[in-house]
Amino acid sequence: MERLQKVIAYAGVASRRKAEALILEGKVKVNGKVVKELGTKVSTSDTIEVNGVKLEKEDKVYFLLYKPRGVISAVTDDKGRKTVTDLFKKHVTERIFPVGRLDYDTSGLLLLTNDGEFAYQMTHPKFKIDKTYIARVKGVPTIEGLKKLQRGIKLEDGKTAPAKVSMTSFDEKAGKAICEITIHEGRNRQVRRMFEAIGTPVVKLKRERFAFLDLGGLVPGEYRQLTKHEVKLLRVLADTGKID
């Protein structure tokens, strides 16, 4: 079950905020009845109409993108910057959206889909789906600094969950290091803020893995469709916390 305004937004009809306004104005029907409650939840079997036009049910699609730096993890951008969905427009007709986000200056593995339930499972912290990043940082983290990240570190929006962190290389003379970090949360600019909190700000950041998925030879801007088996395994991982 999904909130009605969320389903309308995912269908590409309007933004979430505009969808809420349409509901309050009585312009949305569910199974032939006008609905004005924002908390209304609907299922895939419900028939939804917006301004008298029925929402068409698309086949569910799932993509893995190697997001380049300098691209927005969004469907649209009010500043006219390139978005991740722009990379698909010539070949994908479904109204897809990014699963979570990667910052403008962060590259790497990003999933896109038109399946709201799947996106929720992949992004909500309670499902504990691991995301692994390679961070090039300014300065060399101390052992105690890395331990703080591993235990969870206090940020302005609360303490982070424990992370898996290791320093793969460093150059004391040049004052730089490369670290690998795995987290299952997805707060705004979280990895960058975590390293900044221990005094080694991120210079360059790339997401290498999402659960068991990796970039598999793709170059920035390239993408591939997930296999049915990969989608099934991701769902099992979210439901059970493990895959055999």
Side-chain angles (χ1 to χ4, degrees):
M1 301 288 284
E2 293 269 19
R3 288 184 182 273
L4 180 56
Q5 59 265 37
K6 198 172 180 181
V7 172
I8 294 170
Y10 282 157
V13 175
S15 67
R16 185 88 62 92
R17 188 172 297 176
K18 178 61 176 174
E20 290 175 351
L22 289 168
I23 293 168
L24 294 173
E25 291 166 10
K27 295 180 178 179
V28 178
K29 289 182 180 180
V30 177
N31 300 326
K33 295 182 179 180
V34 174
V35 173
K36 291 187 176 182
E37 296 292 329
L38 293 182
T40 301
K41 291 191 175 183
V42 294
S43 71
T44 53
S45 62
D46 290 317
T47 299
I48 303 166
E49 295 174 62
V50 180
N51 285 324
V53 179
K54 183 179 173 182
L55 254 66
E56 294 297 327
K57 293 181 175 67
E58 296 180 321
D59 290 335
K60 296 294 189 287
V61 292
Y62 310 86
F63 293 97
L64 185 161
L65 168 71
Y66 187 159
K67 176 196 169 298
R69 297 175 72 187
V71 178
I72 298 294
S73 294
V75 176
T76 60
D77 181 59
D78 56 10
K79 296 179 181 177
R81 293 171 295 183
K82 192 171 190 177
T83 70
V84 288
T85 53
D86 289 334
L87 300 171
F88 291 79
K89 283 183 177 176
K90 289 182 180 179
H91 305 104
V92 177
T93 57
E94 291 84 4
R95 290 168 290 213
I96 58 174
F97 54 86
V99 176
R101 65 192 303 275
L102 289 179
D103 299 331
Y104 182 77
D105 290 323
T106 299
S107 65
L109 199 161
L110 181 68
L111 300 183
L112 292 96
T113 186
N114 58 353
D115 185 340
E117 180 188 3
F118 174 80
Y120 175 72
Q121 287 184 309
M122 294 302 104
T123 54
H124 197 287
K126 75 177 182 180
F127 295 105
K128 297 184 178 180
I129 302 294
D130 283 344
K131 295 96 176 173
T132 300
Y133 300 79
I134 301 297
R136 182 178 299 169
V137 301
K138 184 179 180 181
V140 178
T142 63
I143 293 175
E144 181 53 36
L146 294 176
K147 285 182 178 178
K148 285 181 180 179
L149 299 182
Q150 290 168 350
R151 292 191 296 260
I153 193 162
K154 192 171 182 180
L155 302 177
E156 60 270 24
D157 53 353
K159 190 177 181 180
T160 64
K164 299 172 187 174
V165 190
S166 63
M167 184 161 54
T168 58
S169 67
F170 66 93
D171 186 332
E172 195 82 54
K173 187 177 290 186
K176 60 184 180 180
I178 296 176
C179 298
E180 180 176 288
I181 180 168
T182 300
I183 61 174
H184 65 257
E185 297 175 296
R187 305 186 204 180
N188 186 38
R189 299 179 69 81
Q190 181 175 338
V191 173
R192 293 179 184 274
R193 290 190 291 134
M194 289 173 73
F195 278 101
E196 191 168 336
I198 64 167
T200 51
V202 171
V203 176
K204 193 174 183 180
L205 187 63
K206 176 184 177 184
R207 183 192 277 169
E208 288 272 308
R209 293 190 299 280
F210 187 105
F212 55 83
L213 298 170
D214 59 38
L215 291 166
L218 295 177
V219 300
E222 286 187 341
Y223 60 86
R224 69 170 178 86
Q225 205 156 0
L226 293 182
T227 66
K228 289 182 180 179
H229 185 61
E230 287 172 331
V231 174
K232 182 180 178 180
L233 286 180
L234 287 168
R235 291 188 186 280
V236 169
L237 187 59
D239 289 338
T240 67
K242 62 181 180 179
I243 49 178
D244 296 328

